[in-house]
Short mmCIF file of all heavy atoms in Angstrom, two decimals:
data_model
loop_
_atom_site.label_atom_id
_atom_site.label_comp_id
_atom_site.label_asym_id
_atom_site.label_seq_id
_atom_site.Cartn_x
_atom_site.Cartn_y
_atom_site.Cartn_z
N GLU A 5 -164.61 0.70 -182.70
CA GLU A 5 -163.27 1.26 -182.81
C GLU A 5 -162.41 0.60 -181.74
O GLU A 5 -162.89 0.27 -180.65
CB GLU A 5 -163.30 2.78 -182.57
CG GLU A 5 -164.02 3.57 -183.64
CD GLU A 5 -163.25 3.60 -184.96
OE1 GLU A 5 -162.02 3.58 -184.93
OE2 GLU A 5 -163.92 3.63 -186.01
N LEU A 6 -161.14 0.40 -182.04
CA LEU A 6 -160.26 -0.23 -181.06
C LEU A 6 -160.12 0.63 -179.81
O LEU A 6 -159.87 0.11 -178.73
CB LEU A 6 -158.88 -0.50 -181.68
CG LEU A 6 -158.85 -1.63 -182.70
CD1 LEU A 6 -157.44 -1.77 -183.27
CD2 LEU A 6 -159.29 -2.93 -182.10
N GLY A 7 -160.31 1.92 -179.92
CA GLY A 7 -160.24 2.79 -178.75
C GLY A 7 -161.41 2.61 -177.81
O GLY A 7 -161.37 3.06 -176.66
N ASP A 8 -162.47 1.96 -178.26
CA ASP A 8 -163.65 1.74 -177.42
C ASP A 8 -163.42 0.63 -176.39
O ASP A 8 -164.15 0.53 -175.42
CB ASP A 8 -164.86 1.35 -178.28
CG ASP A 8 -165.31 2.49 -179.18
OD1 ASP A 8 -164.90 3.63 -178.92
OD2 ASP A 8 -166.08 2.22 -180.14
N PHE A 9 -162.41 -0.20 -176.60
CA PHE A 9 -162.17 -1.34 -175.71
C PHE A 9 -161.33 -0.94 -174.51
O PHE A 9 -160.48 -0.05 -174.60
CB PHE A 9 -161.45 -2.47 -176.46
CG PHE A 9 -162.30 -3.13 -177.51
CD1 PHE A 9 -162.01 -2.98 -178.87
CD2 PHE A 9 -163.38 -3.90 -177.15
CE1 PHE A 9 -162.78 -3.58 -179.83
CE2 PHE A 9 -164.16 -4.52 -178.12
CZ PHE A 9 -163.87 -4.36 -179.46
N ALA A 10 -161.56 -1.60 -173.38
CA ALA A 10 -160.73 -1.40 -172.18
C ALA A 10 -159.39 -2.09 -172.39
O ALA A 10 -159.23 -2.92 -173.31
CB ALA A 10 -161.44 -1.97 -170.96
N ASP A 11 -158.43 -1.74 -171.56
CA ASP A 11 -157.09 -2.31 -171.69
C ASP A 11 -157.11 -3.84 -171.55
O ASP A 11 -156.40 -4.55 -172.25
CB ASP A 11 -156.15 -1.71 -170.64
CG ASP A 11 -155.83 -0.24 -170.94
OD1 ASP A 11 -155.97 0.15 -172.12
OD2 ASP A 11 -155.45 0.48 -170.00
N GLU A 12 -157.95 -4.35 -170.62
CA GLU A 12 -158.03 -5.80 -170.42
C GLU A 12 -158.58 -6.48 -171.66
O GLU A 12 -158.12 -7.55 -172.07
CB GLU A 12 -158.92 -6.11 -169.21
CG GLU A 12 -158.36 -5.57 -167.90
CD GLU A 12 -159.49 -5.19 -166.94
OE1 GLU A 12 -160.67 -5.30 -167.30
OE2 GLU A 12 -159.15 -4.78 -165.83
N ASP A 13 -159.58 -5.82 -172.28
CA ASP A 13 -160.17 -6.40 -173.49
C ASP A 13 -159.16 -6.40 -174.64
O ASP A 13 -159.09 -7.35 -175.42
CB ASP A 13 -161.43 -5.63 -173.90
CG ASP A 13 -162.53 -5.75 -172.85
OD1 ASP A 13 -162.53 -6.76 -172.12
OD2 ASP A 13 -163.37 -4.84 -172.77
N LEU A 14 -158.40 -5.30 -174.73
CA LEU A 14 -157.38 -5.25 -175.78
C LEU A 14 -156.31 -6.31 -175.57
O LEU A 14 -155.81 -6.90 -176.54
CB LEU A 14 -156.75 -3.85 -175.81
CG LEU A 14 -157.63 -2.74 -176.41
CD1 LEU A 14 -156.94 -1.40 -176.28
CD2 LEU A 14 -157.97 -3.03 -177.85
N ALA A 15 -155.97 -6.56 -174.29
CA ALA A 15 -154.99 -7.61 -174.00
C ALA A 15 -155.53 -8.97 -174.45
O ALA A 15 -154.80 -9.79 -175.03
CB ALA A 15 -154.65 -7.63 -172.52
N LEU A 16 -156.82 -9.20 -174.20
CA LEU A 16 -157.43 -10.46 -174.64
C LEU A 16 -157.46 -10.54 -176.16
O LEU A 16 -157.23 -11.61 -176.73
CB LEU A 16 -158.85 -10.58 -174.08
CG LEU A 16 -158.96 -10.90 -172.60
CD1 LEU A 16 -160.42 -10.86 -172.15
CD2 LEU A 16 -158.36 -12.26 -172.29
N LEU A 17 -157.75 -9.42 -176.82
CA LEU A 17 -157.74 -9.43 -178.28
C LEU A 17 -156.34 -9.71 -178.81
O LEU A 17 -156.17 -10.43 -179.81
CB LEU A 17 -158.25 -8.09 -178.81
CG LEU A 17 -159.76 -7.90 -178.77
CD1 LEU A 17 -160.13 -6.48 -179.18
CD2 LEU A 17 -160.47 -8.89 -179.66
N ASP A 18 -155.31 -9.14 -178.14
CA ASP A 18 -153.93 -9.42 -178.54
C ASP A 18 -153.61 -10.91 -178.42
O ASP A 18 -153.01 -11.51 -179.31
CB ASP A 18 -152.94 -8.61 -177.70
CG ASP A 18 -152.89 -7.15 -178.12
OD1 ASP A 18 -153.31 -6.85 -179.25
OD2 ASP A 18 -152.41 -6.32 -177.31
N LYS A 19 -154.04 -11.50 -177.28
CA LYS A 19 -153.81 -12.93 -177.09
C LYS A 19 -154.52 -13.74 -178.17
O LYS A 19 -153.97 -14.69 -178.72
CB LYS A 19 -154.33 -13.39 -175.71
CG LYS A 19 -153.37 -13.19 -174.60
CD LYS A 19 -153.95 -13.85 -173.36
CE LYS A 19 -153.00 -13.72 -172.20
NZ LYS A 19 -153.54 -14.32 -171.00
N CYS A 20 -155.77 -13.32 -178.46
CA CYS A 20 -156.55 -14.02 -179.48
C CYS A 20 -155.85 -13.93 -180.83
O CYS A 20 -155.75 -14.92 -181.56
CB CYS A 20 -157.94 -13.41 -179.54
SG CYS A 20 -159.06 -14.28 -180.64
N ALA A 21 -155.34 -12.73 -181.17
CA ALA A 21 -154.63 -12.56 -182.44
C ALA A 21 -153.36 -13.41 -182.47
O ALA A 21 -153.03 -14.00 -183.50
CB ALA A 21 -154.29 -11.08 -182.64
N ASP A 22 -152.67 -13.48 -181.33
CA ASP A 22 -151.47 -14.33 -181.26
C ASP A 22 -151.83 -15.79 -181.50
O ASP A 22 -151.13 -16.50 -182.23
CB ASP A 22 -150.77 -14.17 -179.91
CG ASP A 22 -150.12 -12.80 -179.75
OD1 ASP A 22 -149.88 -12.13 -180.77
OD2 ASP A 22 -149.85 -12.43 -178.58
N TYR A 23 -152.91 -16.23 -180.90
CA TYR A 23 -153.32 -17.62 -181.07
C TYR A 23 -153.71 -17.89 -182.53
O TYR A 23 -153.39 -18.94 -183.08
CB TYR A 23 -154.48 -17.98 -180.15
CG TYR A 23 -154.10 -18.03 -178.69
CD1 TYR A 23 -154.99 -17.61 -177.71
CD2 TYR A 23 -152.86 -18.50 -178.28
CE1 TYR A 23 -154.65 -17.66 -176.37
CE2 TYR A 23 -152.51 -18.55 -176.93
CZ TYR A 23 -153.41 -18.12 -175.99
OH TYR A 23 -153.06 -18.17 -174.67
N TYR A 24 -154.40 -16.91 -183.14
CA TYR A 24 -154.75 -17.07 -184.55
C TYR A 24 -153.50 -17.16 -185.39
O TYR A 24 -153.41 -17.98 -186.31
CB TYR A 24 -155.60 -15.90 -185.04
CG TYR A 24 -157.05 -15.98 -184.64
CD1 TYR A 24 -157.74 -14.86 -184.19
CD2 TYR A 24 -157.75 -17.17 -184.74
CE1 TYR A 24 -159.07 -14.93 -183.84
CE2 TYR A 24 -159.08 -17.26 -184.39
CZ TYR A 24 -159.74 -16.13 -183.94
OH TYR A 24 -161.05 -16.21 -183.61
N ALA A 25 -152.51 -16.32 -185.09
CA ALA A 25 -151.27 -16.31 -185.88
C ALA A 25 -150.51 -17.62 -185.69
O ALA A 25 -149.99 -18.19 -186.66
CB ALA A 25 -150.39 -15.13 -185.48
N LEU A 26 -150.47 -18.10 -184.45
CA LEU A 26 -149.74 -19.35 -184.19
C LEU A 26 -150.44 -20.56 -184.82
O LEU A 26 -149.78 -21.50 -185.25
CB LEU A 26 -149.58 -19.57 -182.68
CG LEU A 26 -148.64 -18.59 -181.97
CD1 LEU A 26 -148.71 -18.81 -180.46
CD2 LEU A 26 -147.21 -18.77 -182.46
N SER A 27 -151.75 -20.52 -184.83
CA SER A 27 -152.48 -21.68 -185.37
C SER A 27 -152.83 -21.50 -186.84
O SER A 27 -153.47 -22.37 -187.42
CB SER A 27 -153.75 -21.93 -184.55
OG SER A 27 -154.58 -20.80 -184.63
N HIS A 28 -152.43 -20.39 -187.41
CA HIS A 28 -152.67 -20.10 -188.82
C HIS A 28 -154.15 -20.09 -189.18
O HIS A 28 -154.55 -20.54 -190.24
CB HIS A 28 -151.91 -21.08 -189.74
CG HIS A 28 -150.44 -21.05 -189.50
ND1 HIS A 28 -149.64 -19.99 -189.85
CD2 HIS A 28 -149.61 -21.95 -188.92
CE1 HIS A 28 -148.39 -20.23 -189.51
NE2 HIS A 28 -148.34 -21.42 -188.93
N ILE A 29 -154.96 -19.60 -188.24
CA ILE A 29 -156.39 -19.45 -188.50
C ILE A 29 -156.61 -18.02 -188.96
O ILE A 29 -156.31 -17.06 -188.26
CB ILE A 29 -157.22 -19.71 -187.21
CG1 ILE A 29 -157.03 -21.14 -186.75
CG2 ILE A 29 -158.68 -19.39 -187.47
CD1 ILE A 29 -157.71 -21.45 -185.44
N HIS A 30 -157.13 -17.86 -190.15
CA HIS A 30 -157.33 -16.51 -190.68
C HIS A 30 -158.80 -16.23 -190.96
O HIS A 30 -159.17 -15.10 -191.17
CB HIS A 30 -156.52 -16.31 -191.97
CG HIS A 30 -155.06 -16.51 -191.74
ND1 HIS A 30 -154.32 -15.71 -190.92
CD2 HIS A 30 -154.20 -17.44 -192.21
CE1 HIS A 30 -153.06 -16.12 -190.88
NE2 HIS A 30 -152.96 -17.19 -191.67
N ASP A 31 -159.61 -17.27 -190.97
CA ASP A 31 -161.02 -17.07 -191.24
C ASP A 31 -161.77 -17.34 -189.93
O ASP A 31 -161.86 -18.47 -189.46
CB ASP A 31 -161.49 -18.04 -192.33
CG ASP A 31 -162.91 -17.76 -192.75
OD1 ASP A 31 -163.37 -16.63 -192.53
OD2 ASP A 31 -163.55 -18.68 -193.30
N PHE A 32 -162.32 -16.30 -189.35
CA PHE A 32 -163.01 -16.42 -188.07
C PHE A 32 -164.49 -16.68 -188.33
O PHE A 32 -165.14 -15.92 -189.04
CB PHE A 32 -162.83 -15.11 -187.27
CG PHE A 32 -163.48 -15.15 -185.93
CD1 PHE A 32 -162.98 -15.97 -184.94
CD2 PHE A 32 -164.60 -14.38 -185.66
CE1 PHE A 32 -163.57 -16.00 -183.70
CE2 PHE A 32 -165.19 -14.42 -184.44
CZ PHE A 32 -164.68 -15.22 -183.44
N ASN A 33 -165.01 -17.76 -187.74
CA ASN A 33 -166.40 -18.13 -187.92
C ASN A 33 -167.07 -18.15 -186.55
O ASN A 33 -166.62 -18.86 -185.66
CB ASN A 33 -166.48 -19.50 -188.60
CG ASN A 33 -167.88 -19.84 -189.04
OD1 ASN A 33 -168.84 -19.20 -188.63
ND2 ASN A 33 -167.99 -20.84 -189.89
N LEU A 34 -168.13 -17.41 -186.39
CA LEU A 34 -168.82 -17.33 -185.09
C LEU A 34 -169.47 -18.66 -184.70
O LEU A 34 -169.65 -18.93 -183.53
CB LEU A 34 -169.88 -16.23 -185.11
CG LEU A 34 -169.35 -14.81 -184.99
CD1 LEU A 34 -170.51 -13.82 -185.04
CD2 LEU A 34 -168.57 -14.64 -183.72
#
């Protein structure tokens, strides 16, 4: 759940989502 993450982790996830949006990457592959 998103509530399980700490604020710092959520900030990193936000940055990651921004980078995905800017680079138009929609399929995440581990």
Side-chain angles (χ1 to χ4, degrees):
E5 293 290 328
L6 288 178
D8 294 344
F9 291 111
D11 290 337
E12 297 149 357
D13 296 334
L14 287 175
L16 286 175
L17 283 174
D18 284 341
K19 276 187 178 179
C20 186
D22 290 341
Y23 290 144
Y24 281 137
L26 291 173
S27 61
H28 301 290
I29 297 175
H30 301 296
D31 186 22
F32 181 69
N33 190 346
L34 284 180

